[in-house]
Amino acid sequence: MTTDHQDTDTAILDTDVLVVGAGPAGLMLATELRLGGAEVVVVDQRPGPTTESRASTLHARTMEILDSRGLLDELGTPPCEPRGHFGGVPLDLTLPSSHPGQWKVAQTRTEELLQRRAAELGADLRRRHQLLSLTAEDGVEAEAIGPYGPVRIRARYLVGCDGEDSTVRRLVRAPFPGRDAARELLRADVSGVEVADRRFQRLEHGLAIAATREGVTRVMVHEFGRPAAERGGAEPDFAEVTDVWKRVTGEDISQGTPLWVNAFGDANRQLAHYRHGRVLFAGDAAHRQMPSGGQALNLGVQDAFNLGWKLAAVVRGSAGEDLLDTYHSERHTVGRQVLANIRAQVELLLGGPEVEPARALLTELVALDGVRQHLAGMISGLGIRYDVEGPEIHSAAHPLLGRRLPDAWLEPAEGGARRRTTELLRTGRGLLLSLDGDGAPALRATAAPWSDRVAFVADRPVAGGPLSAGQTLLVRPDGYVAWAGSGAAGLARALTRWFGTAAADD
């Protein structure tokens, strides 16, 4: 339990995990840690969820994640756009998924949703708390300053989810290789202006984007050849946005009222290691990139979803620390791939006339469905495939191995209403799904020592769906298939690898 007591004038908190940062990644991590049985304290400098109009896109994989935790009902039915882009080239994002396309949800709403769930599960969220220092040896000790004075927090692990200018990263002195911004997009939300909607319109002098929703127009603009400004953390003035907009489009929007103004550059950096002993990183603290295609927030939420169940298992003692190394190996690889596709998109978006031949070629290529599916899989997160077997586990290749469990309808073997595979993940436990429907006694017996961590379900797949009868799937709490087979061979090894030592051997 987290406890509060006084040592002179400094409050002291004890917890399993300290999460620094209450953005989407930090709040998602807190929910997963609590679902896995770990005590968690979250500290954040801000007084509440962001009020700025930042990220507004949830991609298909993130929507699936929220669905697998029963969080989508609160969102209602947000607008969905099947068409996205790759570097400004139109791209159909629809792939097999329960939520294909991109869904328009303001970051404020996403943070409110995750904060409410974290609080319901018992996370201790401390707003207006600024991290000052930390040490990490046998455990972690952190010092923060809160609204009522200094706070010392003792934890077994700390996770930095505190954004691209991460204090945790600076205190740990974690190598963060890559490049700084050379170009930038200026962005403003403006009321009281009337301009035509523009979707990545390339004009003689630059790139212009405009979209109006509910009386507010978001404009984004880049002037070809104009370098990123040295801003020292400050945001641009609205006058700078209007000047560049006029030079690029010829239009005057200076009579409008700015509601929010910012700039984002094409910096591209990634931590060399996502784990530094007892300190780990997720979200923008682990990688810095231009938010092209709305990928940044989704990448961070998916980092947290991968890490949360693993860190909770280690804290509970049901898994060894080597499980945390799979967080780095899996998510660093995904992050590297995302940063690479964003670099390519930046060249296509912000490059001048010299990139037109490449844009023309890409436009031809995305008409080929194989190319479209590959690019859509990268942007949506649906194309992720983890190397789940490792050096000690060898099994026949299976098309679902390392991929997410498809959303599919099942017929319960014991009768009753049909249910979705997604519903079986709501508890945050692992899942052994036998699709022969007969209870598979050998499989049940093999998995019995892990029954406190892995649910056993024997259902029949509904005909015509993405799952086939006769197979058995071991699914991790984050929804990825860790083992697949038609018998029990290799299952115990996979259970040990992902869910720790069998209870009977403790």
Side-chain angles (χ1 to χ4, degrees):
M1 279 294 286
T2 300
T3 59
D4 240 346
H5 60 278
Q6 295 294 319
D7 178 7
T8 65
D9 294 326
T10 301
I12 300 178
L13 300 175
D14 293 293
T15 190
D16 291 327
V17 182
L18 170 60
V19 176
V20 181
L27 293 170
M28 183 80 250
L29 180 61
T31 65
E32 290 301 292
L33 287 166
R34 288 298 302 135
L35 201 60
E39 296 293 328
V40 57
V41 171
V42 184
V43 297
D44 192 284
Q45 297 183 61
R46 299 175 301 163
T50 183
T51 58
E52 296 176 342
S53 179
R54 291 188 176 272
S56 60
T57 297
L58 297 181
H59 283 297
R61 180 56 191 152
T62 301
M63 291 291 284
E64 290 179 351
I65 285 171
L66 297 178
D67 191 11
S68 73
R69 295 298 186 256
L71 286 165
L72 283 189
D73 287 347
E74 290 189 52
L75 285 183
T77 307
C80 178
E81 296 180 4
R83 188 179 68 160
H85 73 94
F86 190 91
V89 175
L91 178 67
D92 182 357
L93 293 174
T94 53
L95 292 172
S97 169
S98 58
H99 295 84
Q102 53 182 354
W103 300 76
K104 295 303 176 182
V105 180
Q107 183 171 334
T108 298
R109 186 74 186 91
T110 301
E111 290 190 15
E112 290 172 346
L113 176 72
L114 293 174
Q115 178 174 308
R116 185 157 46 250
R117 177 54 60 91
E120 290 171 354
L121 292 172
D124 184 353
L125 176 57
R126 306 274 174 142
R127 294 283 186 181
R128 298 186 177 92
H129 279 66
Q130 180 181 2
L131 182 70
L132 301 177
S133 65
L134 69 89
T135 58
E137 294 179 3
D138 294 335
V140 174
E141 288 210 8
E143 298 283 345
I145 186 72
Y148 304 108
V151 181
R152 186 168 66 180
I153 306 168
R154 299 182 298 211
R156 295 175 62 184
Y157 294 90
L158 180 149
V159 186
C161 300
D162 51 341
E164 60 184 25
D165 297 317
S166 170
T167 298
V168 176
R169 195 177 62 228
R170 173 177 55 81
L171 292 173
V172 174
R173 297 181 180 178
F176 196 44
R179 68 181 192 187
D180 292 328
R183 293 167 293 190
E184 66 181 358
L185 268 171
L186 301 177
R187 174 169 58 179
D189 286 351
V190 189
S191 64
V193 296
E194 292 186 11
V195 297
D197 281 3
R198 290 179 166 91
R199 187 176 176 84
F200 305 105
Q201 185 178 28
R202 289 174 63 83
L203 301 165
E204 180 182 358
H205 299 296
L207 172 73
I209 304 164
T212 300
R213 289 193 181 93
E214 299 179 353
V216 176
T217 300
R218 170 165 290 185
V219 297
M220 291 188 281
V221 62
H222 170 72
E223 187 174 13
F224 294 149
R226 189 173 189 262
E230 291 290 340
R231 301 190 182 278
E235 302 293 7
D237 294 329
F238 184 53
E240 182 181 354
V241 178
T242 62
D243 288 348
V244 176
W245 184 265
K246 188 169 187 178
R247 289 199 297 271
V248 170
T249 69
E251 297 173 347
D252 185 1
I253 59 171
S254 61
Q255 77 280 8
T257 300
L259 306 177
W260 178 56
V261 179
N262 85 328
F264 54 93
D266 63 346
N268 200 279
R269 292 184 175 276
Q270 184 182 26
L271 281 176
H273 300 283
Y274 282 15
R275 182 187 178 196
H276 290 250
R278 292 184 175 270
V279 178
L280 300 101
F281 295 87
D284 288 347
H287 35 75
R288 184 172 186 173
Q289 62 284 310
M290 195 172 186
S292 181
Q295 294 182 85
L297 180 149
N298 293 270
L299 184 61
V301 168
Q302 292 166 36
D303 285 346
F305 201 62
N306 182 289
L307 174 60
W309 69 273
K310 296 176 180 178
L311 186 51
V314 172
V315 165
R316 290 196 319 267
S318 61
E321 287 202 3
D322 57 340
L323 185 61
L324 296 180
D325 294 329
T326 70
Y327 167 66
H328 167 79
S329 63
E330 292 179 350
R331 294 307 299 173
H332 191 275
T333 299
V334 171
R336 184 175 67 249
Q337 293 167 347
V338 170
L339 265 64
N341 91 54
I342 287 177
R343 284 199 304 271
Q345 292 195 63
V346 167
E347 294 303 319
L348 294 168
L349 273 173
L350 305 187
E354 72 279 0
V355 303
E356 290 303 328
R359 293 178 59 82
L361 178 60
L362 180 62
T363 301
E364 293 181 18
L365 290 175
V366 295
L368 304 175
D369 203 45
V371 175
R372 182 198 69 80
Q373 290 183 28
H374 179 71
L375 295 178
M378 288 168 46
I379 292 172
S380 65
L382 299 177
I384 293 171
R385 185 169 196 172
Y386 294 133
D387 178 11
V388 296
E389 291 186 285
E392 302 301 324
I393 300 175
H394 305 281
S395 67
H398 188 283
L400 287 178
L401 197 62
R403 296 194 182 278
R404 77 197 202 289
L405 178 69
D407 182 75
W409 285 100
L410 303 172
E411 297 276 9
E414 66 275 11
R418 289 180 175 182
R419 53 186 174 180
R420 295 164 56 213
T421 52
T422 301
E423 296 170 16
L424 302 177
L425 299 173
R426 297 260 162 95
T427 63
R429 299 169 67 201
L431 171 67
L432 183 61
L433 179 60
S434 174
L435 294 171
D436 60 8
D438 66 359
L443 292 166
R444 187 187 294 271
T446 300
W450 289 271
S451 60
D452 59 327
R453 286 154 269 172
V454 180
F456 181 84
V457 173
D459 282 0
R460 296 182 179 88
V462 172
L467 296 178
S468 301
Q471 59 186 340
T472 302
L473 306 174
L474 177 63
V475 186
R476 307 186 323 188
D478 60 355
Y480 286 86
V481 177
W483 176 89
S486 57
L491 175 58
R493 289 197 301 267
L495 284 162
T496 301
R497 174 173 172 78
W498 294 108
F499 297 98
T501 304
D505 297 333
D506 286 345

